[in-house]
Amino acid sequence: MNNNDITHGTDNVYADLGLPDATERQTKTRLAFAINELLNSRRLKQRETAQLLDIPQPKVSALKNYRLDNFSVERLMEFLTALDQDVEIVIRPRANNAEAGQISVLAAR
């Protein structure tokens, strides 16, 4: 490969890295990002967050540091609803140019 060659990735860094469950990892990361944005804007301490989300404080630390292996997508969505957010799942036909259906997380502000 020439130093001037550019390899363009996909919109999923986990897939680009060849990690297993890339779609799930990306979904969890985007959900966790939305949760952490809400927590930061509310300036909650980890102890307060633990009470609000009904999880032990070490799990709050894991969430804040994006160590998400012990969280399901469903549980992360439950955290969002505990933070007074609505979570909406939309199912629609895939785009014509897509090889397979996709999962995406969009945050409305």
Side-chain angles (χ1 to χ4, degrees):
M1 180 186 270
N2 183 325
N3 284 342
N4 294 328
D5 290 343
I6 297 173
T7 302
H8 293 278
T10 66
D11 59 355
N12 185 335
V13 68
Y14 300 108
D16 294 342
L17 293 172
L19 296 175
D21 304 323
T23 300
E24 181 179 5
R25 288 173 187 257
Q26 183 180 43
T27 300
K28 286 181 177 184
T29 300
R30 288 185 174 172
L31 291 169
F33 181 80
I35 293 164
N36 284 325
E37 287 286 301
L38 289 163
L39 296 174
N40 290 338
S41 71
R42 294 180 186 193
R43 299 177 192 210
L44 295 173
K45 293 182 172 39
Q46 286 194 8
R47 185 185 75 254
E48 297 166 325
T49 299
Q51 288 177 327
L52 180 64
L53 301 181
D54 194 27
I55 58 175
Q57 187 277 326
K59 286 209 173 217
V60 174
S61 178
L63 177 63
K64 288 192 145 284
N65 290 294
Y66 295 90
R67 294 188 310 267
L68 305 173
D69 288 338
N70 293 318
F71 296 103
S72 67
V73 169
E74 181 180 14
R75 188 71 173 127
L76 293 170
M77 290 189 295
E78 289 172 358
F79 293 162
L80 285 165
T81 61
L83 292 166
D84 302 320
Q85 303 299 299
D86 290 330
V87 177
E88 185 174 300
I89 298 172
V90 177
I91 300 170
R92 63 177 176 261
R94 69 179 169 89
N96 291 336
N97 59 352
E99 291 182 21
Q102 297 179 349
I103 296 174
S104 60
V105 176
L106 307 173
R109 299 185 200 260

